[in-house]
Amino acid sequence: MAQNPEGNPHGYRTVLMVRFSALGDVAMTIPVIYSVCRCYPDVRFVMVTRPSMTTMFVNSPDNLVTVAADVKKDYDGVGGIRRLCAELVQTYKPDVFVDLHNVLRTRLMSVFLRLSGVPTARIFKPRAKRRALTRKHNKVMLPLVSQRARYREAFFKAGLPINDCFDGLYHGRSSADSALFAAITAPKPEGCRWIGIAPFAAHAGKVYPPEQMEKVLALLQARADQEPGLRIFLFGGGASEQRVLEDWAARFPAATSLAGKRYGFPAELALINHLDVMLTMDSANMHMAAIAGAPTVSIWGATHPYCGFKGWRQTDESTVQLPLSCRPCSVFGDKPCMRGDLLCLTAIRPENVYNKITQVLQT
């Protein structure tokens, strides 16, 4: 337990935290939240998030409590947020509130909690610097402070400085119990190599064209034909993604699709921990693979690591991207391509992606 050398000067007993969305942002809170829990073992930390995300917090510290709150269904509107805050105060009696989201809902929570006598601190969003980095002309190509650093800063504002003591969800590679993913596959045989591919993201500006990703798969299948035991696991979510991944799994013998199976975060994260490499977009899967301990190769298009959303301990050498003057044009990949052709993605050759994966397999 990496207890903070300064102790708990404010005498906090319970710290309330919140982050509702998106999935990747919640995943990015984990290295910081697990670290702060270990730095202050005498403090109870209560994390409020969406119901679908609570199971992502696997192997969590004993002093972390996760609370599911559906703010669109059960706590909608101003009245719903007020009721949520009243319930949290009554149940947990927080000494301080740390807003890791900084949107209208969570700012309302800050107001109601302050009225209940709970001091608050929130994450800072560098909107002006993001605009300077993503504008069409006169870009300021300087890396922004990472999102995880901003989470740490929010705790610092609350009087909780943090030592970085997170070492992955499983404290090392291939250390998760294989029984956790028994519903997906048998344990990994000695000497075999497993590759994960998560080819989708929330926005088109972050998705490598499926027809080109298929060529990457073909190259990996050719390798698998010569390397018995090499397997490829395909990760995805929505119905359209499921159709694509199931088609690929049917045509490439080494591939297995997990899309639509609903194995859940504990099973999929444990499987990812046993992968030799995970290929992702700039997406939630990138962040989950990183905290699960899998070597991660990520493809970047409209977005850029300079925006501050690189995976936990991911290096520049593990990214695939093109040096185009129009990049980045978006922080989240949700803006229309100013060129109209998504050259930042379409010009990435499948052979280059395959070679990057090969480099990781050789390390």
Side-chain angles (χ1 to χ4, degrees):
M1 186 72 70
Q3 190 165 349
N4 193 288
E6 299 178 7
N8 181 8
H10 296 278
Y12 292 144
R13 292 164 298 177
T14 299
V15 175
L16 183 66
M17 311 167 289
V18 65
R19 177 81 208 197
F20 290 122
S21 64
L23 179 57
D25 290 292
V26 175
M28 278 190 285
T29 68
I30 287 179
V32 180
I33 289 176
Y34 283 31
S35 289
V36 75
C37 286
R38 290 166 181 154
C39 287
Y40 301 93
D42 58 329
V43 179
R44 176 177 58 171
F45 291 86
V46 180
M47 176 63 173
V48 183
T49 189
R50 290 164 54 187
S52 61
M53 299 184 188
T54 56
T55 57
M56 192 193 313
F57 292 79
V58 302
N59 293 334
S60 62
D62 293 338
N63 56 332
L64 176 63
V65 178
T66 54
V67 176
D70 192 332
V71 290
K72 292 185 178 180
K73 179 181 178 183
D74 299 325
Y75 300 100
D76 191 26
V78 176
I81 294 298
R82 179 189 291 130
R83 181 163 49 85
L84 172 61
C85 291
E87 292 175 4
L88 291 170
V89 169
Q90 182 178 15
T91 303
Y92 299 104
K93 298 178 176 56
D95 298 297
V96 66
F97 173 60
V98 182
D99 178 2
L100 300 175
H101 202 165
N102 192 3
V103 293
L104 179 58
R105 283 192 181 95
T106 60
R107 289 197 291 271
L108 276 173
M109 289 183 69
S110 293
V111 171
F112 292 130
L113 288 165
R114 282 198 299 269
L115 290 174
S116 298
V118 181
T120 66
R122 69 166 59 104
I123 187 175
F124 171 73
K125 293 185 176 180
R127 292 180 174 88
K129 290 184 178 180
R130 287 176 178 176
R131 287 193 295 270
L133 180 59
T134 57
R135 62 196 179 199
K136 186 173 183 179
H137 301 292
N138 301 315
K139 285 182 180 294
V140 180
M141 281 300 293
L142 293 173
L144 304 185
V145 173
S146 75
Q147 185 78 340
R148 279 176 298 276
R150 296 195 185 282
Y151 289 148
R152 290 194 297 270
E153 181 186 44
F155 283 105
F156 181 82
K157 291 176 183 176
L160 295 164
I162 302 172
N163 295 325
D164 183 9
C165 49
F166 180 74
D167 59 351
L169 293 175
Y170 305 99
H171 314 294
R173 287 179 54 185
S174 300
S175 54
D177 186 351
S178 57
L180 293 171
F181 57 81
I184 303 175
T185 186
K188 184 179 181 181
E190 187 71 27
C192 293
R193 293 197 282 192
W194 287 359
I195 298 171
I197 299 180
F200 298 106
H203 304 292
K206 300 201 289 187
V207 179
Y208 190 51
E211 60 273 15
Q212 290 173 242
M213 182 62 79
E214 188 172 320
K215 293 178 181 178
V216 176
L217 262 172
L219 291 168
L220 291 171
Q221 180 61 56
R223 184 186 184 111
D225 292 340
Q226 304 299 319
E227 184 180 331
L230 190 149
R231 295 187 61 186
I232 305 164
F233 295 92
L234 306 174
F235 295 79
S240 60
E241 298 177 8
Q242 182 177 344
R243 287 192 294 271
V244 172
L245 298 187
E246 288 179 349
D247 175 63
W248 287 350
R251 292 191 290 114
F252 297 104
T256 300
S257 173
L258 277 63
K261 304 297 193 301
R262 299 186 182 279
Y263 292 115
F265 286 128
E268 293 192 6
L269 286 167
L271 173 65
I272 290 171
N273 176 255
H274 285 258
L275 298 178
D276 293 279
V277 60
M278 178 76 155
L279 174 64
T280 75
M281 309 300 102
D282 167 22
S283 66
N285 281 299
M286 173 183 68
H287 297 293
M288 290 191 289
I291 62 175
T296 306
V297 171
S298 55
I299 299 176
W300 298 70
T303 59
H304 195 286
Y306 275 16
C307 294
F309 296 94
K310 196 159 53 176
W312 176 68
R313 292 188 178 174
Q314 187 176 22
T315 64
D316 290 338
E317 291 72 27
S318 64
T319 62
V320 180
Q321 55 184 328
L322 297 177
L324 299 179
S325 60
C326 56
R327 293 187 59 240
C329 64
S330 172
V331 173
F332 306 110
D334 54 345
K335 295 181 179 178
C337 173
M338 61 181 68
R339 290 175 51 98
D341 59 1
L342 284 173
L343 184 69
C344 56
L345 290 162
T346 59
I348 296 175
R349 299 175 65 243
E351 292 80 8
N352 292 344
V353 178
Y354 172 77
N355 289 339
K356 185 69 73 170
I357 293 172
T358 300
Q359 290 172 14
V360 174
L361 290 176
Q362 290 172 346
T363 57

